[in-house]
Amino acid sequence: CADMATTTPGTIRDVIIARIEALTPPTYGQNPYVPHRDDKLSLRRWALANPAASLRRFNVETPGDTSPMEVTTATLEQVREEFEIVIAYANTNRFNGRQGLIDAISTDLRFIDYYAGTTGFSVTPTSNATIISKQYRREGDDADPVWFGVIPLEVVYWRAAL
């Protein structure tokens, strides 16, 4: 355990963001994934205020370093955090109607989960964390100007003990 590398939620988040940003979407590839870099508004609030600019803007939302330890030694603590990958989609006719939008969101979620979820991190481990994808979902309905694709992640990592 003494050789175990430590990390932080911020470092893990940055690795996930870099992986998603480097991907070319499997459909409508001319509309890339764009990281949300506004520190004043959450992605959901920003996208609802700016629907026309929200297409495939994404964020990795973390609670911070807040979880109680599951395992501890004199120098290390293992913790489990819940992260969410959130991707915004303007509810427009860009994807050839409602079902086209649903299909694009579903395809993106599966694609992103493959590269930045459980499979991506088991094939190419990095950030000194174990990432477990949970059931992804679509949020939004016909009246909403923006829909969201959400991939919940359970992230287990070691941090330095205080």
Side-chain angles (χ1 to χ4, degrees):
C1 212
D3 294 335
M4 186 68 63
T6 62
T7 191
T8 66
T11 300
I12 298 164
R13 180 187 60 238
D14 291 347
V15 169
I16 296 170
I17 287 171
R19 283 188 177 197
I20 297 169
E21 187 177 19
L23 297 173
T24 299
T27 59
Y28 300 92
Q30 71 277 16
N31 303 114
Y33 302 115
V34 178
H36 177 66
R37 303 212 189 270
D38 186 333
D39 288 336
K40 295 179 183 173
L41 292 174
S42 71
L43 171 62
R44 286 178 172 93
R45 284 187 181 260
W46 182 91
L48 290 170
N50 302 279
S54 68
L55 180 59
R56 285 190 170 137
R57 186 170 292 252
F58 74 92
N59 199 13
V60 177
E61 298 178 355
T62 66
D65 197 356
T66 59
S67 291
M69 61 192 144
E70 292 183 337
V71 178
T72 187
T73 70
T75 58
L76 299 170
E77 299 172 345
Q78 184 184 50
V79 294
R80 183 177 310 266
E81 298 274 3
E82 298 293 323
F83 287 34
E84 282 188 334
I85 299 171
V86 181
I87 309 108
Y89 298 83
N91 185 4
T92 65
N93 201 33
R94 178 181 300 267
F95 296 102
N96 299 318
R98 180 180 184 278
Q99 191 58 52
L101 177 57
I102 291 169
D103 292 345
I105 293 170
S106 298
T107 300
D108 279 0
L109 290 176
R110 185 167 180 253
F111 184 70
I112 289 170
D113 182 46
Y114 184 81
Y115 287 100
T118 302
T119 302
F121 279 89
S122 66
V123 172
T124 310
T126 189
S127 73
N128 302 309
T130 300
I131 296 182
I132 302 144
S133 303
K134 295 187 172 184
Q135 180 63 50
Y136 39 85
R137 66 186 182 276
R138 175 178 46 85
E139 297 175 354
D141 62 36
D142 295 341
D144 294 331
V146 179
W147 290 3
F148 299 94
V150 180
I151 303 172
L153 302 172
E154 184 175 289
V155 180
V156 180
Y157 64 95
W158 289 91
R159 67 184 176 200
L162 297 177

